[in-house]
Amino acid sequence: QVQLVESGGGLVQPGGSLRLACVASRNIFEANGLGWYRQAPGKQRELVAGITSSGSTNSADSVKDRFTISRDNAKNTIYLQMNSLKPEDTAVYYCNYNLLGYNYWGQGTQVTVAS
């Protein structure tokens, strides 16, 4: 069992920045995969960025060069630094912890980009 708690969402103007954090109840170095997903109204949940146990990262084309995923094993926390935010980034952002093929999800944090 893994519990995930996200924080850091909010309302930001276009071009602004936010940093999301996700604290896990289980050591993140045990995860087979960690990542951030998002779901906008009327759309399917999509992968934003992922990070492996070795630190390798991948991200969606729509956020490349703007969003950065990172991890702090000592704090069991993963982060998503979001820069140059656009209105189309508006969504609920979810933290994901994959353990032996099973996905655990946080409750989500709302990010709204609007002027």
Side-chain angles (χ1 to χ4, degrees):
Q1 191 79 356
V2 181
Q3 295 178 335
L4 304 169
V5 179
E6 300 107 332
S7 63
L11 173 64
V12 64
Q13 292 186 339
S17 298
L18 283 174
R19 188 193 196 201
L20 306 183
C22 171
V23 181
S25 63
R26 186 179 181 126
N27 291 329
I28 61 173
F29 65 80
E30 295 180 37
N32 300 107
L34 296 165
W36 287 96
Y37 287 70
R38 68 185 180 186
Q39 188 166 18
K43 295 187 176 181
Q44 289 189 331
R45 192 172 296 189
E46 62 176 359
L47 175 67
V48 177
I51 186 166
T52 68
S53 57
S54 63
S56 298
T57 63
N58 65 290
S59 59
D61 288 343
S62 59
V63 306
K64 279 188 191 302
D65 300 325
R66 298 189 299 123
F67 291 11
T68 302
I69 187 171
S70 61
R71 59 192 290 160
D72 185 334
N73 289 343
K75 295 182 178 180
N76 290 326
T77 301
I78 63 170
Y79 302 96
L80 185 68
Q81 177 66 45
M82 306 186 293
N83 299 326
S84 302
L85 282 159
K86 304 176 181 180
E88 51 264 43
D89 295 319
T90 295
V92 178
Y93 284 70
Y94 297 91
C95 177
N96 173 265
Y97 185 120
N98 183 278
L99 181 63
L100 301 177
Y102 189 85
N103 286 308
Y104 294 91
W105 299 94
Q107 82 287 352
T109 185
Q110 176 70 46
V111 172
T112 302
V113 185
S115 55

